[in-house]
Structure formats: structure tokens, C-alpha cells
Amino acid sequence: MHELQKNDHYQVISIEIPAGTNMPRHFATSDAYVIVESGNALLIYKGETAELKKGMSLSIPSHEPHLLKVIEDFKAYIVLANDAVITYSALLQ
């Protein structure tokens, strides 16, 4: 993860994850808006699976645990509140 922009209201983070990799279960302390630039991944949350592909966007509510399974090299941007934190926790598993 790499922070691209941050101001008084929001932050924009870039993520690049190789195929075959899983992003462990985590949550953000604000709503997160995900914009997919390239690749393909499965987002698993609320007991459901959503496929993420190039050009798609999705909103994930704050404090909603979720994980990502990357099928094809994946690049996306995440927009969060400026003070939001992404938390990975063994308690979520």
C-alpha cells in the first residue's frame, strides 16, 4: 500500500497485489471507496463474494471485516477519510 494523496478530508491509497495472493481479513475505520484500475480479484465480506474487475468501483462500510483473493495481478485505489486506519487483526479470523 502506498499513500498517494492526503488532505484535511480524505486520503487516497494505491494497492498492487500479485495474482495468487490473498489480502488478509481487515477493516477500515471509515467507509472505503475502491476503484479498480486493473486485474481481477474476489472481495469477500458480509458472507458474500463480489468479483472486482478493471473499471469497477465498490463502497465498503466502515468497520466491515473483509478479505481479498487476487486472481489476476490487481491494482486499485482506495479513498478513505483522512484519519482512517486499516486494521489487520487475528481476532477477525
Side-chain angles (χ1 to χ4, degrees):
M1 276 191 250
H2 174 72
E3 185 180 279
L4 296 176
Q5 175 73 33
K6 187 171 186 174
N7 65 24
D8 292 341
H9 304 286
Y10 66 86
Q11 59 182 303
V12 179
I13 297 169
S14 171
I15 62 168
E16 292 186 46
I17 306 171
T21 304
N22 293 339
M23 188 174 194
R25 189 175 304 275
H26 60 281
F27 67 87
T29 57
S30 79
D31 290 352
Y33 191 73
V34 180
I35 304 161
V36 181
E37 182 174 303
S38 61
N40 186 296
L42 299 176
L43 176 71
I44 301 167
Y45 82 112
K46 290 187 176 182
E48 299 193 19
T49 301
E51 186 173 8
L52 299 179
K53 296 180 180 181
K54 180 180 180 177
M56 294 180 74
S57 60
L58 177 75
S59 180
I60 302 171
S62 67
H63 295 91
E64 184 66 48
H66 56 281
L67 61 92
L68 194 69
K69 293 185 176 189
V70 179
I71 298 167
E72 179 183 325
D73 290 352
F74 188 76
K75 183 174 183 179
Y77 301 101
I78 304 168
V79 181
L80 304 158
N82 75 326
D83 60 350
V85 175
I86 296 175
T87 300
Y88 299 85
S89 172
L91 297 175
L92 296 174
Q93 299 184 15

